[in-house]
Amino acid sequence: MRKVRTVTIADVARHAGVAVSTVSYVLSGKRAISATTRQRVLESVRALGYHPNAGARALASKRANVIALVLPLRAGMNLPVLMQFATSVVATARQFDHDVLLMTADEGPEGIQRVAASALVDGLLLMDVEVRDPRVPLLRELGEPSVLIGFPADADGLTCVDLDFARAGALCAEHLAAGGHREIALLGAPRVVYERGTGFAERTRAGFTAAARGLTAVAVPCEETYDEVAETVKLLFDRHPGLTGLVVHNEAAVGHVLAALRALGRSVPEDVSVVAICPDDVAERASPALTSVLIPAEDVGHEAVRLLMAKLDGLPADSMLLEPRLTIRESTR
């Protein structure tokens, strides 16, 4: 087989009729180049199929042009929603000319220390943040640029971004109260998520409970299989027969909850109003379509990368909470 020669920056320069340094300035953007020359260089890049050598670029810029995303592939986490976050992070990182190294959260602080010491990445994005997250002291100690998708209890000195889950839980309770419901319940994340002290689950429950003062309200964990969901829903109505409003914060359980209600002979929304905290596609596919608070995975992923890039450039990067948005559909009245 004939070996295909790699196209070099010198090849591009010869093809475009310019100096190698001019090609370098066009690709890096470090020096102003006339529009005509820039266009000629870019046409040569496309014609020859040139791709800058990542190792050489890293040596020149002292950057790896790679960021790490620590993804929570463990029990109780909904994979389709996680992939929405990951897709947004990867797409946004490419806009900043960065690639993404995926790590799993079960590596814990040791995995973060290993990657930081290797100089493989320029910065870190961490998901599945716990209220008392054991990775936080290490992040402060390392000084590696990082952004957390989620908030620990002590976020001082950290950059964090997330949906305001406390407000999301409150918004759902307030919507049901405004509809005249006086006995409501939150079907939350799986029990293991609460046992880990995962921030988004605890904040949703706290916001729901606070907004439901004056009502009869209960919050219970909810597993993900139909049999477990059906048992939870039946027990809930056995103990609270006057229950007329449900908030579901468990994407994998949404369809099972609706099926369990039908099995109990309770119609939505005639007998029970249901609000979900989930992506819009989950809410819209349900029957009936669910009133919901959107989990804005695309926006959160985009903002997380933007904040990390600001930190890499030495710019201010303040933590931010995204305001939840309630969309009323067919499942509440």
Side-chain angles (χ1 to χ4, degrees):
M1 292 178 64
R2 197 179 78 178
K3 187 175 179 180
V4 178
R5 191 175 73 85
T6 302
V7 177
T8 68
I9 192 170
D11 295 327
V12 175
R14 278 192 296 272
H15 190 275
V18 298
V20 170
S21 59
T22 301
V23 178
S24 177
Y25 292 143
V26 168
L27 296 178
S28 68
K30 290 182 178 178
R31 186 172 294 185
I33 301 294
S34 71
T36 303
T37 301
R38 182 176 183 278
Q39 183 62 32
R40 195 161 74 244
V41 168
L42 293 178
E43 286 174 357
S44 294
V45 167
R46 284 191 290 269
L48 298 177
Y50 172 68
H51 297 284
N53 181 277
R57 184 176 58 185
L59 285 172
S61 66
K62 294 184 172 58
R63 282 194 184 182
N65 278 60
V66 177
I67 59 175
L69 173 62
V70 186
L71 201 64
L73 299 178
R74 53 185 185 174
M77 305 304 293
N78 186 261
L79 188 58
V81 175
L82 291 180
M83 288 303 102
Q84 289 183 16
F85 282 101
T87 300
S88 176
V89 166
V90 171
T92 307
R94 285 309 310 147
Q95 294 173 14
F96 288 93
D97 197 29
H98 275 65
D99 293 312
V100 178
L101 171 69
L102 287 180
M103 300 172 58
T104 55
D106 56 7
E107 292 188 72
E110 295 77 15
I112 292 172
Q113 193 158 27
R114 172 176 55 80
V115 170
S118 71
L120 283 172
V121 301
D122 299 321
L124 301 159
L125 292 178
L126 286 78
M127 296 181 63
D128 194 29
V129 177
E130 297 170 7
V131 174
R132 293 165 190 82
D133 201 299
R135 300 170 296 182
V136 165
L138 178 61
L139 290 176
R140 291 196 174 105
E141 179 185 321
L142 288 174
E144 193 83 4
S146 63
V147 173
L148 283 71
I149 298 178
F151 281 75
D154 179 12
D156 187 45
L158 303 173
T159 303
C160 309
V161 59
D162 208 355
L163 175 68
D164 187 344
F165 278 100
R167 181 64 195 133
L171 198 57
C172 294
E174 290 165 3
H175 176 69
L176 291 173
H181 299 276
R182 291 294 170 262
E183 196 163 346
I184 63 176
L186 168 68
L187 291 172
R191 187 176 300 278
V192 67
V193 175
Y194 292 105
E195 289 173 350
R196 288 197 298 260
T198 308
F200 73 83
E202 293 208 0
R203 288 189 169 86
T204 301
R205 182 171 61 184
F208 170 85
T209 303
R213 287 198 182 100
L215 307 178
T216 300
V218 60
V220 296
C222 184
E223 304 307 318
E224 297 179 336
T225 69
Y226 173 75
D227 288 343
E228 290 170 310
V229 172
E231 182 180 353
T232 298
V233 171
K234 183 178 184 304
L235 186 61
L236 192 59
F237 280 93
D238 285 346
R239 292 177 175 174
H240 305 276
L243 192 67
T244 62
L246 280 180
V247 176
V248 183
H249 185 203
N250 184 329
E251 300 86 354
V254 165
H256 298 329
V257 170
L258 295 175
L261 289 172
R262 286 193 293 271
L264 292 174
R266 296 179 185 260
S267 298
V268 177
E270 291 79 9
D271 302 318
V272 182
S273 286
V274 178
V275 185
I277 301 173
C278 65
D280 276 345
D281 63 312
V282 174
E284 290 165 355
R285 283 200 311 266
S287 181
L290 295 173
T291 294
S292 68
V293 171
L294 170 69
I295 294 180
E298 183 175 346
D299 292 343
V300 171
H302 175 83
E303 292 298 335
V305 174
R306 185 188 64 78
L307 288 168
L308 183 57
M309 293 301 149
K311 296 186 80 168
L312 289 175
D313 290 335
L315 300 174
D318 296 330
S319 294
M320 60 190 303
L321 283 170
L322 276 61
E323 186 69 21
R325 171 176 58 84
L326 179 78
T327 300
I328 299 175
R329 298 188 179 91
E330 301 166 8
S331 65
T332 56
R333 67 173 189 177

